[in-house]
Amino acid sequence: MVNCCGLVTVKKEPVPLKSIAVEVSVQGHVATVSSTLQYENQEESPLEAIFVFPLPGEAAVCRFSAKIGQSEVVAEVQEKQKAQEQYEDALSSGLQAFLLEESDESPDVFKLSVGSLPPGEKASVSLDYVTELAVQADDGLRLCLPAVLNPRYQPQGSGIGSGSSALVSSVPAGSVPYSLSLSARVSSPHPISRVESNCPLDPLNYLNTEKTQAMVSLAAGHQFDRDVELLLYYQDTHQPTAIVEAAQTSAKPGSLMGDPMVMLSMYPEFPKDVMSLMTSHGEFLFVMDRSGSMSCPMHNGSGAQDRIGSARDTLLLLLKSLPMGCYFNIIGFGSRYKSFFPKSVEYSQKTMNEALQKVKAMRADLGGTEILQPLKHIYSQPCLPDQPRQLFLFTDGEVRNTKEVLDLVKANASSHRCFSFGIGEGASSALISGVAKQGGGHAQFITGQDRMQPKVMQSLRFALQPAVVDISVKWNVPKGVSVTTLSPPIRMLFQGQRALLYAQITGEVGALSGDTEGSVTVEYSLAEQPKQHCFYCLQCAGLEKVVELSVQSGVSSAFTAFIAVHKVDGKAVQGPMLCRQVPTPSFDCPAPASNPAMDPLLQLISLQKASGSWVLEAALAEVLGKTEEEVAKPKPAPVDQEVWATVLALVWLYGFKMEDQEEWQFLAMKAVSWIQAQKGTISWLGSTVLLK
């Protein structure tokens, strides 16, 4: 019988993992995350502890080590099968061994194996990874520490099932039998305005008078009921910056780690005249998850709408915001997929109404989450001439064939741009971020109390407005110094999108010191107008530690693994070894609150015609808080009723819903264009007085 004192799993087995401590170092747009896991074997037999856990999808694990007593063992990167064999050989010989490997199916799932931990022994396991911070709609930078690892849907007949995610052990969030502490040090070339989180934080502590360095910590008592998100806000965030990092002193000059590196950050802000430019062309495909998990609430708070309900509201907003002259279709998917139309249709009042009726009937009733097949169907359809195809993929991201999906998106990136949206806690960052990256689009995550609509409309703006194109980077450095770009070329940038470019500095790098500095010039085209930025900041002084970027410096991948073997005092560990799976938190799916009455803003939007106009009717008057007679009576005689109704709707939006302008900006632009196309002019004064 198992002794169940101390920390136990749901199967009443003792849990050897006691705590996780996380230290974060943020440098501008990049974070280095160091996690230390404390293990203790309180049983009478040796243990093997297996911990399957999530990491950010684009994280690069660059160091893995273990400390037993006063002895530290630093792991090395080896080919995955070789590392697994070495781990098994060590356990067979009674040696302590530690193995860290990425899932074969998804780059955001890792398995940590701690083998031959003797009775009464403690072990400290540390892993470091580097990740870029995602830009949010409000210019914040998002760092997510995934706590929730949802079960990943396995497509039928895929043959998937032997990888790391098959070993996931989970308990309800809030019942996780180990603790988490987190502290973050933030450094930026620009002052730090504030740091926010979806979890309670201790007060922000500035470390210098310029406010370019700060410390913040997670408040004690984290319950593992959500992913931990940090949102960082900098001043002058749209200014391009370059950060140079010194070479590793122990590395050979001329090697990847033996020379300085530079990170160039570009985050352009478009002029207002460019922001007003809108395309009327394009084929828009809205690919919506309708699996059973979409019936879960958006968050754990009271009154939460279910995910599919929020998706219906979002599709209403999208359908009303599309420009006349474009084409569209909506594809729902689960373990099978359904299209609203056999092929994309031209946007008109008739096709919009037909789509809206189907949206109202849309439910989370298509089974499991199978994204690959609907994407294959979409890519097999010929593109329309002069109508660039753009995909909007919505999912709670619980799939197990992530890499296969990303390969497909990448193969079709030349003709299909992809925007992606991760809904709810535990959505796979590898899937959501990867689809956008491979498809030349933008990724958004909707978690906690976030509303889906403003984030989706930001991506629609990216799809409709001009992008920065023809991007070139010129390095201006002293004689004897050269710069080699390591990142792939940046194809385009949208308003609100950030790009990072990495390069290696070689040659006589000592010339970049003291009073001598290099510069970088970025040239690009925006709305067919050439632009350029030039700034001076390439100096090799006062620099941070180098971000390891390859196997040469110890970075894991799908084809490699970290392996460390430790011989205990020259003796083998004796006795039969027990296996314990360390649980991760799972997100419960309680019944969502009953859907409330439609928000007045959505009511108004639902009444707009595809052309952009409104009809003078009782339903419109109700939204405006008036009777139909009160709305119609002040109308000047020469003014058409439909023009009058459209003016009233716009005045209501600008007068009462400015805080939601990002959601209705496109349908308002359509309305203004429609009014301008009508004969005659009207005064807005009467309508303004009416609504006061």
Side-chain angles (χ1 to χ4, degrees):
M1 179 177 178
V2 175
N3 180 1
C4 292
C5 63
L7 305 178
V8 296
T9 69
V10 289
K11 296 180 180 179
K12 304 302 180 185
E13 298 168 336
V15 175
L17 178 61
K18 304 301 180 183
S19 65
I20 302 176
V22 180
E23 294 183 359
V24 180
S25 176
V26 176
Q27 179 72 17
H29 291 248
V30 173
T32 301
V33 181
S34 301
S35 300
T36 301
L37 296 80
Q38 299 286 351
Y39 288 85
E40 181 179 357
N41 182 4
Q42 295 177 330
E43 301 191 57
E44 297 177 356
S45 300
L47 279 183
E48 180 187 24
I50 298 175
F51 186 24
V52 179
F53 59 96
L55 286 180
E58 295 188 345
V61 178
C62 52
R63 191 177 190 274
F64 177 54
S65 64
K67 189 173 183 180
I68 306 95
Q70 299 301 312
S71 176
E72 182 180 30
V73 183
V74 178
E76 60 183 31
V77 176
Q78 294 187 7
E79 188 274 327
K80 181 179 286 187
Q81 184 174 351
K82 181 180 178 181
Q84 292 169 342
E85 292 172 353
Q86 188 173 342
Y87 175 79
E88 295 297 335
D89 289 345
L91 298 194
S92 300
S93 302
L95 302 179
Q96 289 184 359
F98 304 84
L99 180 68
L100 179 67
E101 52 189 318
E102 179 184 310
S103 166
D104 292 331
E105 302 129 17
S106 183
D108 62 345
V109 178
F110 281 75
K111 184 175 91 170
L112 171 61
S113 303
V114 178
S116 292
L117 189 62
E121 184 71 87
K122 297 180 180 179
S124 173
V125 176
S126 298
L127 65 95
D128 296 356
Y129 66 85
V130 181
T131 187
E132 296 178 358
L133 306 182
V135 178
Q136 303 301 288
D138 60 357
D139 293 338
L141 298 177
R142 176 181 182 262
L143 171 64
C144 179
L145 302 177
V148 180
L149 181 59
N150 288 335
R152 302 294 169 94
Y153 178 73
Q154 177 179 333
Q156 291 186 350
S158 65
I160 296 174
S162 59
S164 300
S165 49
L167 299 173
V168 173
S169 172
S170 61
V171 295
S175 301
V176 175
Y178 43 86
S179 63
L180 172 70
S181 63
L182 180 147
S183 64
R185 181 186 179 107
V186 184
S187 299
S188 168
H190 305 291
I192 302 160
S193 300
R194 65 188 190 277
V195 178
E196 298 177 355
S197 178
N198 62 335
C199 301
L201 295 177
D202 292 336
L204 182 67
N205 178 28
Y206 288 106
L207 303 179
N208 59 3
T209 55
E210 296 83 4
K211 295 187 176 181
T212 57
Q213 297 183 10
M215 288 285 296
V216 68
S217 299
L218 187 68
H222 178 64
Q223 294 298 306
F224 284 94
D225 56 345
R226 68 197 75 176
D227 294 343
V228 178
E229 291 181 334
L230 292 180
L231 294 173
L232 315 177
Y233 296 87
Y234 301 148
Q235 295 180 25
D236 303 319
T237 186
H238 288 283
Q239 290 296 318
T241 59
I243 299 174
V244 184
E245 296 181 327
Q248 271 188 351
T249 55
S250 59
K252 180 182 178 181
S255 67
L256 180 62
M257 305 313 300
D259 291 314
M261 305 285 292
V262 60
M263 178 183 71
L264 174 63
S265 171
M266 291 177 286
Y267 184 35
E269 185 173 29
F270 290 11
K272 289 185 177 180
D273 59 335
V274 173
M275 293 285 287
S276 63
L277 297 175
M278 300 279 290
T279 180
S280 60
H281 299 285
E283 180 187 6
F284 298 90
L285 302 181
F286 305 114
V287 187
M288 181 62 67
D289 193 337
R290 289 178 54 185
S291 63
S293 56
M294 287 290 287
S295 63
C296 293
M298 290 293 293
H299 56 82
N300 279 333
S302 60
Q305 186 181 25
D306 58 9
R307 297 173 185 175
I308 197 68
S310 181
R312 286 194 295 266
D313 291 347
T314 301
L315 286 173
L316 164 66
L317 196 55
L318 284 167
L319 287 171
K320 295 290 184 175
S321 301
L322 289 177
M324 298 295 287
C326 75
Y327 287 73
F328 78 99
N329 203 350
I330 298 174
I331 299 98
F333 68 90
S335 50
R336 61 190 190 280
Y337 62 89
K338 290 182 177 180
S339 298
F340 278 20
F341 305 100
K343 61 180 181 180
S344 294
V345 295
E346 186 172 0
Y347 181 69
S348 66
Q349 186 67 38
K350 179 179 181 296
T351 56
M352 184 192 75
N353 286 342
E354 188 175 347
L356 287 173
Q357 290 302 314
K358 294 177 182 290
V359 167
K360 289 180 181 178
M362 196 174 69
R363 299 290 183 269
D365 57 1
L366 293 184
T369 308
E370 171 53 277
I371 294 175
L372 192 63
Q373 293 307 315
L375 287 180
K376 285 183 176 179
H377 169 73
I378 290 169
Y379 292 139
S380 70
Q381 304 300 307
C383 293
L384 299 170
D386 301 319
Q387 301 286 349
R389 182 175 287 175
Q390 310 203 62
L391 276 64
F392 286 63
L393 174 65
F394 300 81
T395 181
D396 49 17
E398 301 168 8
V399 300
R400 289 181 58 187
N401 58 344
T402 300
K403 291 182 177 178
E404 195 174 355
V405 171
L406 298 186
D407 288 344
L408 181 64
V409 173
K410 183 179 180 180
N412 292 274
S414 61
S415 56
H416 297 69
R417 192 197 301 184
C418 294
F419 298 88
S420 55
F421 306 88
I423 305 170
E425 306 289 347
S428 168
S429 62
L431 176 70
I432 305 305
S433 298
V435 163
K437 182 176 181 179
Q438 299 296 348
H442 188 65
Q444 300 271 21
F445 290 87
I446 301 102
T447 58
Q449 301 283 342
D450 289 347
R451 296 182 67 249
M452 190 184 302
Q453 290 81 4
K455 294 194 172 187
V456 173
M457 297 312 293
Q458 184 198 37
S459 291
L460 181 62
R461 187 179 75 217
F462 294 163
L464 292 175
Q465 291 178 332
V468 169
V469 295
D470 300 329
I471 303 169
S472 64
V473 177
K474 295 181 180 179
W475 305 94
N476 310 304
V477 292
K479 186 177 180 180
V481 178
S482 62
V483 178
T484 303
T485 302
L486 302 177
S487 305
I490 302 170
R491 293 185 292 170
M492 64 178 63
L493 273 178
F494 311 114
Q495 164 73 14
Q497 187 180 27
R498 185 271 335 271
L500 297 180
L501 187 145
Y502 300 93
Q504 184 178 24
I505 302 174
T506 57
E508 300 174 10
V509 295
L512 289 173
S513 60
D515 296 330
T516 304
E517 57 183 14
S519 67
V520 57
T521 301
V522 180
E523 296 181 346
Y524 57 90
S525 176
L526 175 60
E528 300 183 352
Q529 297 296 318
K531 308 278 185 181
Q532 77 171 29
H533 278 291
C534 183
F535 46 102
Y536 298 85
C537 47
L538 303 183
Q539 283 188 322
C540 296
L543 307 170
E544 301 260 322
K545 80 172 187 178
V546 177
V547 177
E548 292 96 341
L549 295 172
S550 71
V551 171
Q552 173 187 326
S553 54
V555 171
S556 69
S557 69
F559 308 104
T560 60
F562 280 100
I563 176 68
V565 178
H566 179 249
K567 197 169 185 178
V568 185
D569 299 327
K571 299 178 181 178
V573 178
Q574 300 296 320
M577 186 169 61
L578 304 176
C579 182
R580 297 287 180 256
Q581 292 190 11
V582 178
T584 56
S586 61
F587 181 71
D588 293 331
C589 184
S594 57
N595 291 328
M598 183 179 284
D599 176 78
L601 174 61
L602 290 177
Q603 281 185 289
L604 182 77
I605 291 170
S606 69
L607 298 173
Q608 189 185 31
K609 295 170 68 174
S611 63
S613 66
W614 276 267
V615 175
L616 196 61
E617 57 183 337
L620 175 63
E622 182 182 354
V623 174
L624 302 180
K626 305 288 181 180
T627 66
E628 191 172 1
E629 182 181 358
E630 289 173 324
V631 169
K633 189 174 181 180
K635 182 185 75 67
V639 176
D640 178 79
Q641 283 195 348
E642 197 166 334
V643 171
W644 180 248
T646 304
V647 170
L648 295 181
L650 287 170
V651 171
W652 187 85
L653 287 172
Y654 281 98
F656 299 102
K657 291 296 179 180
M658 281 301 294
E659 71 275 10
D660 299 318
Q661 186 178 12
E662 188 156 33
E663 300 182 32
W664 51 260
Q665 59 180 321
F666 296 122
L667 57 92
M669 292 171 67
K670 281 172 61 175
V672 171
S673 296
W674 180 86
I675 291 172
Q676 292 172 340
Q678 308 310 303
K679 292 182 179 180
T681 59
I682 62 170
S683 169
W684 292 46
L685 179 60
S687 56
T688 305
V689 172
L690 171 71
L691 291 172
K692 283 187 176 178

